[in-house]
């Protein structure tokens, strides 16, 4: 089996893992699809939020894209190996690139902060995660606080966690507001409070060998390929055969 076939097979295994065993129909994964053509679009969706912002999982990804009529990725987006493995890890220890821990950091690949927000999806009766970049997370946190604050005036112990929220695409970001769901659905959702969501598995941490293959196929100038080892300078004439799903 060629390295390309091996990598393709591993990617399929990751995709299958993100779907879970049998909880979702074809085309639906543990990740909520966000955006104009996603599940959360301008029409919005109602969920039950399962963690407050300080307990959202924060991690880093390497991503470098430009828009030139359509989005062009200079290399395939992938999780930074210098990222927390749990929501309660000290995120401050990961703010700077970890050149000793992550080959992509060492190669100077662009790095961004992402957030995973655990929610209960009433449609599929299980937990899912909303995975968004820092800019969108900032807006959702601001809306979270606005939605929670009025209720706290009447009950200082009130938390939006375990309650319904409506999330929709708003302009070029996302908005969150309080919502209503049947009490029975809320009770179903609360069984997931304190659940181990397995964030590290959902983040798809790759092995270094996989990442080196991604960086070798990167656009020239987007990363320093000299740090990748002897193969980085090898002839890339077969690079076009690689079926990377950008």
């Amino acid at each position: 089996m060629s390295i390309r076939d091996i990598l393709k097979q591993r990617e399929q295994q990751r995709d299958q893992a993100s779907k879970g065993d049998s909880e979702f129909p074809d085309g639906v994964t543990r990740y909520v699809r966000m955006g104009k053509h996603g599940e959360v679009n301008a029409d919005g969706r109602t969920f039950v939020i399962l963690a407050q912002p300080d307990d959202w999982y924060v991690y880093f990804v390497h991503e470098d894209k430009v828009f030139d009529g359509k989005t062009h990725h200079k290399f395939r987006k992938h999780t930074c190996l210098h990222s927390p493995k749990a929501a309660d890890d000290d995120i401050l220890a990961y703010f700077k690139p970890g050149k000793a821990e992550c080959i992509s950091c060492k190669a100077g690949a662009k790095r961004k902060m992402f957030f995973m927000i655990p929610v209960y999806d009433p449609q599929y009766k299980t937990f899912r995660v909303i995975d968004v970049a820092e800019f969108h997370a900032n807006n959702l946190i601001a809306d979270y606080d606005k939605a929670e604050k009025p209720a706290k005036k009447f009950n200082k112990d009130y938390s939006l966690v375990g309650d319904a929220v409506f999330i929709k695409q708003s302009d070029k970001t996302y908005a969150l507001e309080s919502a209503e769901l049947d009490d029975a659905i809320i009770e179903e959702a609360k069984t997931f409070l304190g659940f181990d969501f397995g964030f590290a598995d959902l983040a798809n941490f790759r092995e270094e060998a996989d990442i080196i293959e991604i960086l070798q196929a990167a656009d020239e100038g987007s990363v320093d390929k000299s740090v990748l080892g002897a193969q980085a300078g090898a002839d890339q004439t077969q690079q076009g055969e690689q079926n990377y799903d950008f």
Side-chain angles (χ1 to χ4, degrees):
M1 181 179 292
S2 72
I3 186 64
R4 292 177 180 82
D5 290 336
I6 291 171
L7 292 176
K8 183 176 181 180
Q9 184 180 75
R10 286 171 61 83
E11 192 66 29
Q12 290 172 343
Q13 290 171 343
R14 291 189 186 95
D15 290 343
Q16 186 60 39
S18 74
K19 288 181 64 175
D21 295 331
S22 60
E23 294 179 276
F24 304 112
D26 287 344
V28 180
T29 70
R30 186 69 68 183
Y31 298 92
V32 178
R33 290 178 290 110
M34 307 290 285
K36 183 177 180 181
H37 302 292
E39 298 168 83
V40 173
N41 49 41
D43 293 333
R45 285 279 307 277
T46 298
F47 302 96
V48 178
I49 197 151
L50 298 177
Q52 55 105 5
D54 285 341
D55 295 326
W56 295 353
Y57 175 63
V58 184
Y59 69 114
F60 294 88
V61 303
H62 289 285
E63 182 180 45
D64 191 355
K65 60 184 180 180
V66 293
F67 185 78
D68 52 4
K70 63 178 181 178
T71 301
H72 170 71
H73 292 257
K74 296 183 180 181
F75 52 78
R76 187 169 190 171
K77 176 182 172 182
H78 57 281
T79 301
C80 175
L81 296 181
H82 185 55
S83 290
K85 301 300 187 294
D88 58 357
D89 284 356
D90 180 10
I91 186 61
L92 294 178
Y94 299 90
F95 271 7
K96 292 183 179 180
K99 295 183 179 181
E101 296 82 10
C102 178
I103 188 67
S104 291
C105 290
K106 190 174 182 180
K110 283 191 176 180
R111 187 171 184 259
K112 301 177 182 179
M113 183 185 292
F114 271 69
F115 289 71
M116 281 192 202
I117 308 166
V119 296
Y120 177 81
D121 188 333
Q123 182 174 352
Y124 300 107
K125 300 183 183 301
T126 189
F127 87 89
R128 301 181 72 191
V129 291
I130 293 172
D131 187 43
V132 290
E134 179 180 0
F135 170 72
H136 301 307
N138 277 334
N139 292 325
L140 289 172
I141 290 171
D143 285 349
Y144 179 103
D145 291 339
K146 289 177 186 176
E148 191 177 68
K149 187 176 180 179
K152 280 187 172 292
K153 290 181 179 180
F154 301 97
N155 178 5
K156 65 179 181 180
D157 295 324
Y158 173 76
S159 170
L160 200 58
V161 174
D163 213 340
V165 295
F166 181 74
I167 301 176
K168 66 178 181 179
Q169 189 175 22
S170 177
D171 195 10
K172 295 182 179 180
T173 186
Y174 301 98
L176 177 153
E177 60 189 46
S178 293
E180 296 290 336
L181 280 173
D182 290 344
D183 290 344
I185 297 176
I186 295 294
E187 291 306 310
E188 289 173 3
K190 286 182 177 180
T191 63
F192 287 95
L193 295 180
F195 187 76
D196 181 1
F197 299 109
F199 289 123
D201 290 333
L202 290 170
N204 287 337
F205 284 95
R206 298 171 182 267
E207 294 180 10
E208 185 173 284
D210 294 353
I211 296 175
I212 288 174
E213 287 290 329
I214 290 172
L215 298 179
Q216 285 175 339
D219 287 1
E220 291 301 323
S222 60
V223 299
D224 179 6
K225 297 186 182 183
S226 68
V227 307
L228 303 181
Q231 292 186 22
D235 181 25
Q236 298 288 315
T237 56
Q238 296 183 1
Q239 180 177 317
E241 298 177 14
Q242 298 175 0
N243 185 26
Y244 290 124
D245 181 18
F246 290 149

